[in-house]
Amino acid sequence: MLENNMPAAPTLRLNNVALAVADLEAMIHWYRTALGLQVEQRGHFDPVDADFAMLTGNGFRLELVSRAGGEHRPADRSAPPQHLHVLGWKAIVLETDDLAATTVALKAQGVDIVWSEQALTPTLASTMIRDPEGNLVNIFGKLA
């Protein structure tokens, strides 16, 4: 429990979102091809013996991390809305100015579509996709 009389953490900002993946090369290729991300940096984290790739998009960074060997335990991949019954981070959520065009482009690439231009509110819709390892990516846009 946080103490009310303790000072808040200094001003923070998001650096990146990290995603552990089994096949780093395949996932780099998918995120570059499907979402247009660019590789900013690649390297190795010695303390955890893991390779990484930092990908950049329009105003965000996604870090893909992979550790060779060992047992990879997949995350729960329940379909929405059941995915909300398992606690933890659910999806990378992006935004586009043209959801319809983005959805058409994703379909043309054969991306795994969970739902397409689903109305969420009277003014907001989303297209939800899965990457090759089953991670959800939800793309928001204005309802057409």
Side-chain angles (χ1 to χ4, degrees):
M1 186 90 176
L2 295 176
E3 297 291 326
N4 289 336
N5 60 350
M6 299 297 294
T11 302
L12 301 173
R13 63 189 170 279
L14 182 64
N15 181 285
N16 65 271
V17 174
L19 178 62
V21 300
D23 187 335
L24 184 60
E25 296 307 318
M27 295 298 277
I28 290 169
H29 176 75
W30 189 88
Y31 277 93
R32 289 184 70 211
T33 304
L35 301 183
L37 303 185
Q38 299 299 312
V39 176
E40 176 183 273
Q41 181 182 10
R42 292 193 65 159
H44 186 82
F45 293 129
D46 289 330
V48 293
D49 192 26
D51 294 321
F52 74 92
M54 188 67 71
L55 307 178
T56 59
N58 186 20
F60 74 97
R61 295 174 359 137
L62 174 64
E63 177 185 10
L64 302 178
V65 182
S66 186
R67 189 165 187 259
E71 177 188 347
H72 289 104
R73 289 179 280 163
D76 177 75
R77 301 296 184 219
S78 299
Q82 288 77 18
H83 74 302
L84 298 176
H85 292 278
V86 177
L87 303 180
W89 302 106
K90 296 291 123 189
I92 296 171
V93 181
L94 305 174
E95 185 176 15
T96 181
D97 291 332
D98 191 340
L99 185 59
T102 299
T103 303
V104 167
L106 293 169
K107 286 180 179 179
Q109 293 178 46
V111 170
D112 181 6
I113 306 282
V114 175
W115 65 51
S116 179
E117 299 179 66
Q118 174 69 45
L120 302 174
T121 72
T123 60
L124 182 68
S126 82
T127 293
M128 185 179 289
I129 63 175
R130 286 192 189 272
D131 72 16
E133 293 188 6
N135 302 294
L136 293 172
V137 179
N138 201 359
I139 303 168
F140 284 9
K142 292 182 180 173
L143 190 59

